[in-house]
Amino acid sequence: MRLHRLDITAFGPFGSTQSVDFDALSGAGLFLLHGPTGAGKTSVLDAVCYALYGSVPGARQGGQGMHLRSDHAPPGTRTGVRLELSVAGRRLEITRQPPWERPKLRGKGTTVDKAQTWLREYDARAAAWKDLSRSHQEIGAEVEQLLGMSREQFCQVVLLPQGDFARFLRADAEARGRLLGRLFDTQRFADVEKRLAERRRATEARVREGDTALLADAHRMQQEAGDAMEVPEPEPGDPGLAEAVLEAAAVARSTARERLDIAHCRLAAAESAHAAARHALDEARELARLQSRFAEARERAARLAERAGAHREDQERMERARKAEAVAPALELREAADREHREAAQAETRARRALSDVYGDVGMYGDIGAYGRADAHGGADAYRGADAGGLAAAARRAAEELGGLDAARRAERRLAELAGERAGLDRQERADEDVLSEADAWLGGWDATRAALQARLDFAQEAATRAEQLAVQREPMRRRLDAARTRDRLAAGLAQARQQAEESHRRALDARAHWLDLKEQRLAGIAAELAAHLTDGEPCAVCGATEHPAPARKAAGHVDREAEDRALAASQRAEEQHTEDERRLGEVREALAAATAEAGDTPTARLAAEADHLEREYARARHDASALHAAQQALRRAEQEREQRLADRQQAAVRAASRLTRRETLEREQALLEAEVEQARGGLGSVAARAAQLERLAARLTEAADAVRAAEDAAQRLKAADARLADAAYRAGFDTPGAAVAALLDTAAHRELQHRLDAWQQEEAAVRAVLAEPGTTAAAQLPPADPAGAELAAAAAERRLREAGSARDAAARCCAELDRLSARAAEAVRRLAPLRAEHDRVARLATLTAGTSADNERRMRLESYVLAARLEQVAAAATVRLQRMSSGRYTLVHSDDRTGRGRSGLGLHVVDAWTGRERDTATLSGGETFFASLALALGLADVVTEEAGGVRLDTLFIDEGFGSLDDQSLDEVLDVLDGLRERDRSVGIVSHVADLRRRIHAQLEVVKGRSGSSLRQRGV
């Protein structure tokens, strides 16, 4: 990294714009930045740091806002820093402006402008500056990636604050560890320690959890086994817990099996006794059953003897019923004839009553002289006693009169039709009046309707035109919105691509460092590798000697060429991956730039809102334009309706004239038909009523004639049935038909009587069979049975059997449960074995990395070990310069001695060549401390630079500390610094020592004044 130019405006003590030409200062290699105290020397370095990282170093870094602004600046001048530098082969320009509280352009008061940042790159081919980014985050990440250093590392490496390193020399191991940890980013090793500690706690918790479950199974086994098992004494986490549980489980299982065998023997004995008791119970019950059966049969025989008389009466009654069954058919015929006779008589009575009702209706409305009677009442009484012939003749005369009313019926129907036609003419007249009224009303508003429809059509046409105009704007807006979304997505992916490039860069550095370490180890043991090819008598390839008395031997862990080549190949692959990631990062940047060019700086949300507004306007215009066709159709339909209404009004007038003629014709025909119908009605309301009356009379007369004939026939059949019934009763042996009827039994009584007779026979046969059984008779001769005693004995035997079975089942369940729990415990022990081994391994690693293990002899933590290696590199690099500055007297060495809380690895001592003794750096004098701190700072710069990826630092600043040196020491220090110039570096010394102004010609002076400080360059 080389600085070219710095422009400062209204920053710190500088009220106006000040510029620093670092190219001119760097030409001399060594330049001096001086000025009175408080003039602003450090502010120049602050401006460089602020331009790169957006914040100032050290305790001043809290001021990243408006207080960086100079109090001497005019109100209208904005604070800003512009830095031009070259890094990684690229020439960049960074401009930063912190937040600015300025007066409002309108009105009173102030407003705050946000911070602004620009990053530009010089394009040599185009000889012009090209904008790269205006994002604070992107520019910060880009600068940190190019420099390979954070702000803290940059402040330590480039600005070299001597006071910090003086404190570093005097600090203890913990303070040195914190500083080195920030510089070399060893947090990942501390994270490894933390992760191992967390894994140790996690595995320990899992082991204890498994042991707790195992101990819980042991308690459950004890509950099953009882006093046959004791719970092991070890606690969860003890190594011997698993073995103790398994041994106790084996003892409990053995005892449980012995108890199960005893329970099986007891169960077999109980089963034998229970079988004998059951057999005795069955025999007692059978004897009791036979004795009870015999006694019951004797009682049933006694009851049969008592009911013998009733049985003989039932037999006699059954015999009379069988004789009466011969009279049953004649009796059924007589009952059927009697039933038909009663029904026919009732029908005749109903028919004559209905005929009387019809005659009353006829007498009320007209003369019935045509039927041969003087009045209605006399005619009805006469027909009540008429025979079937007279009633049939009257029915024929009524039917003849009914046939003469056909012409009157047609005339009456025509009158109804005429009334319907006149009503239809009235409806047509009213409809035409409605048509005329509606047409006149509609045509009266035609002008207003046509104007409204025309306005609707014009509005839809305007909307269609507007929709076409908006359609042209939609596609560009969609492309711009898509580009904005792509821009946002690529901006989010840029950080990931940058992080991936940084990670691959770090992996490439680690692989290169590993290769260099292996190469250094191989070179350290190259003598042994060359000695492997020595042969007695053959000259050595190095010294040419032919005798080889003590050839070198390969030490343990010797690195050969194959291992070095593999490390080199891995380093090359890592570098290729880094190159690929950088290429992908560039592609993302190019795509982001293209998307930004398409979308501009407008936020995506705003573009989306504009696009949405455009779409809504377009949709609204399309919706309004969609009514164009409907509006045209509506106007066309309205014009057609106007023509139709004009035609309807004209047709209605024509129909009104024709209706007048038709109405006169209908009125003449109606008068003629009404006279004819009035004569035929006979005083009734209509001809149809008169015809209905005659139809009812003819029907009733016919029905009455039929009913009279049916009653006469039924009386003849009843008389014949009485004669047949008397004859059948005499032949069956009964004195009268009534006696035969009394002997008959209905179906239920016959069934009941037969059932009693059958039951008597069955009972008699069953009793006779039981009393004849040999076994039953023999059992009756024996003493009474005792089934209750046998049941008690059987119940006692069954209870003993259940108790023995329960004991056997409990012993079996205990054995099964112990087997299951033992198997589960064994499985748990097998599962815990690798987990316990993992815990032991992780615990050893955790204590080893934490420095608490007995194997870690120096009690050095992993992070301290890494930092010790870095400190050893820093001490080696610093010694090269310290020896020159101290004329070879002092050497810095790293020490692994334990310091502070028993830890080791971060000790730093100085070896005095004059005394040959080694002492702590805290014992150095002021001038010696300056030598050592400057050498340490320069050495640290080299190591951190190499650690950061080998970024070359061509511009360095050294802050103060020169006032404590004498002339000779000052010359030696300047010689060392001048040696840095020989490497094409420029070194800026920040000091107010007057002697340095005579020794260093290139100077940047800070001049302090009332209006603010200013900068002057001299000797360039």
Side-chain angles (χ1 to χ4, degrees), residues 363-376:
M364 290 174 63
Y365 294 103
D367 184 12
I368 58 170
Y371 304 105
R373 296 293 182 266
D375 53 58

Side-chain angles (χ1 to χ4, degrees), residues 917-941:
R917 299 183 63 181
E918 180 178 329
R919 54 195 173 96
D920 193 271
T921 54
T923 62
L924 294 173
S925 64
E928 292 170 343
T929 299
F930 175 78
F931 284 153
S933 61
L934 179 59
L936 193 63
L938 295 174
L940 181 64

Side-chain angles (χ1 to χ4, degrees), residues 104-414:
K104 292 183 178 179
L105 299 178
R106 297 179 180 178
K108 298 180 180 180
T110 60
T111 185
V112 177
D113 287 343
K114 296 181 179 179
Q116 301 288 333
T117 306
W118 294 271
L119 176 63
R120 300 196 304 170
E121 183 176 4
Y122 185 75
D123 188 352
R125 289 179 296 182
W129 289 94
K130 178 177 65 175
D131 292 334
L132 295 182
S133 177
R134 296 191 64 177
S135 170
H136 303 296
Q137 291 78 9
E138 287 184 5
I139 295 174
E142 181 75 13
V143 170
E144 188 167 343
Q145 180 183 1
L146 291 174
L147 295 179
M149 292 179 288
S150 64
R151 180 181 59 81
E152 291 79 6
Q153 290 175 317
F154 177 82
C155 294
Q156 292 289 347
V157 173
V158 178
L159 302 185
L160 299 183
Q162 297 305 302
D164 289 350
F165 282 97
R167 287 190 296 272
F168 180 81
L169 290 173
R170 296 184 175 91
D172 57 10
E174 294 297 330
R176 287 174 184 166
R178 288 193 295 271
L179 176 61
L180 292 175
R182 291 196 304 270
L183 294 177
F184 292 104
D185 190 19
T186 58
Q187 181 60 36
R188 60 185 183 276
F189 299 103
D191 293 340
V192 169
E193 297 175 20
K194 182 179 178 181
R195 177 58 178 163
L196 286 173
E198 291 174 351
R199 286 192 58 190
R200 181 189 64 184
R201 289 191 293 271
T203 54
E204 181 181 2
R206 291 168 62 190
V207 169
R208 291 183 64 86
E209 182 181 353
D211 285 349
T212 302
L214 186 62
L215 196 57
D217 287 341
H219 282 287
R220 283 193 288 272
M221 284 189 282
Q222 184 191 34
Q223 293 174 358
E224 291 291 337
D227 56 358
M229 176 180 175
E230 294 183 358
V231 177
E233 295 180 358
E235 296 294 330
D238 292 348
L241 177 63
E243 184 178 355
V245 170
L246 294 181
E247 291 178 358
V251 173
R253 290 170 62 196
S254 176
T255 304
R257 289 193 183 92
E258 293 176 358
R259 293 177 178 176
L260 180 60
D261 293 339
I262 295 172
H264 274 298
C265 295
R266 291 177 178 173
L267 179 61
E271 288 176 347
S272 178
H274 179 262
R278 290 296 302 180
H279 181 69
L281 175 61
D282 293 339
E283 290 181 349
R285 285 176 175 173
E286 180 63 18
L287 179 60
R289 184 184 69 81
L290 293 176
Q291 292 176 346
S292 175
R293 180 178 175 85
F294 183 82
E296 182 183 359
R298 295 292 297 269
E299 292 176 0
R300 290 163 64 186
R303 287 194 296 271
L304 287 175
E306 293 175 356
R307 291 187 287 118
H311 175 62
R312 286 191 296 272
E313 292 178 358
D314 290 340
Q315 288 178 332
E316 293 174 356
R317 182 174 174 78
M318 179 61 73
E319 182 64 24
R320 288 195 304 271
R322 290 194 184 98
K323 292 180 180 180
E325 288 178 357
V327 186
L331 180 61
E332 291 177 356
L333 290 175
R334 198 273 173 188
E335 289 177 352
D338 182 62
R339 186 169 53 254
E340 291 177 358
H341 179 263
R342 287 196 303 271
E343 291 175 354
Q346 292 173 359
E348 179 184 2
T349 301
R350 287 194 300 272
R352 290 184 182 276
R353 187 180 300 112
L355 181 61
S356 299
D357 295 339
V358 172
Y359 265 104
D361 294 340
V362 173
M364 290 174 63
Y365 294 103
D367 184 12
I368 58 170
Y371 304 105
R373 296 293 182 266
D375 53 58
H377 299 290
D381 293 337
Y383 275 103
R384 286 193 185 96
D387 58 5
L391 294 173
R396 285 193 297 273
R397 288 194 296 271
E400 291 173 356
E401 184 178 356
L402 180 63
L405 295 178
D406 290 343
R409 287 180 177 178
R410 288 192 295 273
E412 189 174 42
R413 285 196 296 272
R414 178 56 184 163

Side-chain angles (χ1 to χ4, degrees), residues 793-987:
E798 185 175 2
R799 183 173 63 255
R800 289 191 295 271
L801 176 62
R802 286 197 302 270
E803 292 173 354
S806 299
R808 192 277 312 271
D809 294 341
R813 283 195 302 272
C814 180
C815 286
E817 185 65 15
L818 287 176
D819 290 341
R820 185 183 69 82
L821 292 174
S822 297
R824 190 166 75 174
E827 178 63 23
V829 170
R830 284 194 295 275
R831 289 198 307 268
L832 279 174
L835 183 60
R836 197 182 302 277
E838 180 187 1
H839 169 62
D840 294 340
R841 183 173 61 256
V842 171
R844 286 196 302 271
L845 286 175
T847 54
L848 184 64
T849 56
T852 59
S853 173
D855 296 334
N856 193 335
E857 297 178 356
R858 296 186 178 275
R859 302 183 62 81
M860 185 183 298
R861 293 173 49 240
L862 177 61
E863 184 181 16
S864 299
Y865 176 78
V866 176
L867 292 177
R870 296 304 188 202
L871 181 58
E872 189 173 5
Q873 294 176 349
V874 172
T879 296
V880 176
R881 294 181 174 86
L882 181 58
Q883 286 181 342
R884 289 188 58 187
M885 286 187 282
S886 64
S887 299
R889 179 179 178 181
Y890 294 115
T891 301
L892 284 174
V893 294
H894 165 255
S895 173
D896 286 336
D897 294 340
R898 297 184 181 180
T899 60
R901 294 188 296 178
R903 302 298 174 91
S904 61
L906 296 180
L908 192 63
H909 292 175
V910 61
V911 177
D912 191 345
W914 291 0
T915 63
R917 299 183 63 181
E918 180 178 329
R919 54 195 173 96
D920 193 271
T921 54
T923 62
L924 294 173
S925 64
E928 292 170 343
T929 299
F930 175 78
F931 284 153
S933 61
L934 179 59
L936 193 63
L938 295 174
L940 181 64
D942 292 339
V943 174
V944 173
T945 300
E946 183 66 25
E947 176 72 14
V951 177
R952 180 178 176 81
L953 301 177
D954 297 321
T955 304
L956 298 176
F957 293 92
I958 301 175
D959 188 6
E960 286 300 344
F962 293 90
S964 60
L965 303 179
D966 55 24
D967 292 341
Q968 181 179 354
S969 299
L970 185 59
D971 289 337
E972 292 173 349
V973 171
L974 293 179
D975 289 341
V976 172
L977 297 178
D978 196 52
L980 298 176
R981 180 183 61 180
E982 295 173 359
R983 301 183 183 180
D984 196 23
R985 283 183 175 178
S986 62
V987 180

